Amino acid sequence: MAMREYLVGEVAEEYAEGLLSRREAVRRLGLLGVALPGATALLAACGGDDDDAEAEGPQATPAGPVTPAATPPPGKDVGKLITYTADGQRFRAAYKAAAKPKGAVLVIHENKGLTTHFFELVGRMAANGYSALCVDLLSREGKDGLAGFDDQAAATAALSAMPAEQLLGDLRSAADELLERAGDDLKLGAMGFCFGGGMTWNLLQKGPGQERRLRAAIPFYGPAPAEPDFTGSRAAVLGMFAGDDERVNGTMAAAEEALQTAKLTYEIKVWDGAQHAFFNDTGERYDETATTAAQKQLLAWFDKHLA
């Protein structure tokens, strides 16, 4: 699934669930390159009204831009903001070292960028024995990355416009930085969420620059690439999917077939009743029960394949 297509579908899905007003959905689709007639038709197909009336539920996001939460939250148990340079480019990232690291984990953020949630998640991984880094993939958009945007939807649109090879190259340099800080002797894992889940699948892809160091990968509800080929990988893969996430789950069969063809160790876990983005405790779809169980399973997976 192409990333822009995926992000367009996500806006439509959030509108259909009452999480976005019609006006805000049209605005976000416009930022993603969907002209007004196409946006109107798409939202009407989702059950919306194609006139100018606002008929949203109480959870719908207001029509105006939403300021990103792009700074680390207070507290000693969260990732700290770092900067590093790779190929002449300055990158921002959240990083935290484990006291006694069992492995190193590259965390890949959602389509909203390096938000507060990912500073917290990096800290959570470090507390469980894994030095972790989450690079701000919007770093190329200016010295402040996500923090330089005053509109969350514009940040997402900027991510959608980035070439896949550029994103993958930035993730590989982030892995280099992580291992340089945490220790080159550690085994490398990766986990990503939503957009980041899709990028995790792409890190497993066969092709130039294949990440042979990657020993474990956990994509959360991320779309698998079209015609995936994982035969160049050595990673043990735990695919995490939400039961109520039909759009992303449509890529599951192709991903599993590719894992089998590549003869990789893998498991596919579908969390029944959970929605897309259920793991993010700052979002509307957060599912505490599924998240608690999923975190236990992801740590067990890294303990088995990285520690």
Side-chain angles (χ1 to χ4, degrees), residues 17-254:
E17 293 177 5
L19 300 177
L20 292 177
S21 70
R22 178 182 178 277
R23 185 177 303 165
E24 176 63 10
V26 168
R27 189 182 75 84
R28 294 189 184 193
L29 290 171
L31 289 169
L32 290 168
V34 181
L36 181 59
T40 300
L42 176 61
L43 298 182
C46 294
D49 188 352
D50 64 358
D51 62 22
D52 289 332
E54 296 288 336
E56 299 83 25
Q59 289 183 305
T61 299
V66 177
T67 302
T71 55
K76 64 179 181 179
D77 294 326
V78 301
K80 304 304 179 185
L81 180 64
I82 64 166
T83 61
Y84 63 92
T85 301
D87 297 325
Q89 172 66 45
R90 177 181 178 273
F91 289 92
R92 301 168 78 253
Y95 174 74
K96 190 167 179 63
K100 296 181 179 180
K102 298 182 285 187
V105 174
L106 179 67
V107 179
I108 310 174
H109 58 63
E110 299 169 337
N111 61 38
K112 293 180 172 63
L114 181 60
T115 59
T116 297
H117 171 68
F118 287 93
F119 283 94
E120 294 174 337
L121 187 52
V122 162
R124 196 186 312 168
M125 294 305 298
N128 283 282
Y130 293 94
S131 295
L133 182 147
C134 183
V135 61
D136 183 348
L137 289 170
L138 287 163
S139 293
R140 291 183 181 273
E141 295 297 304
K143 68 177 183 178
D144 294 324
L146 176 61
F149 286 81
D150 58 6
D151 179 356
Q152 182 66 77
T156 296
L159 274 174
S160 77
M162 291 180 180
E165 282 307 311
Q166 175 187 295
L167 291 166
L168 289 169
D170 290 347
L171 289 171
R172 293 182 184 114
S173 64
D176 291 340
E177 182 69 19
L178 169 59
L179 290 175
E180 183 175 336
R181 288 174 178 266
D184 282 330
D185 57 328
L186 296 175
K187 291 181 181 178
L188 177 67
M191 65 178 186
F193 302 80
C194 179
F195 161 87
M199 295 310 301
T200 305
W201 285 118
N202 275 278
L203 280 175
L204 299 170
Q205 278 278 73
K206 181 180 179 180
Q210 164 64 40
E211 185 48 78
R212 293 285 296 172
R213 295 170 300 173
L214 198 61
R215 304 306 294 271
I218 306 179
F220 271 79
Y221 35 76
E227 301 180 358
D229 183 349
F230 304 141
T231 54
S233 179
R234 296 188 298 171
V237 181
L238 174 60
M240 298 278 210
F241 293 87
D244 295 347
D245 192 6
E246 182 177 348
R247 187 167 53 94
V248 172
N249 293 354
T251 70
M252 189 192 311

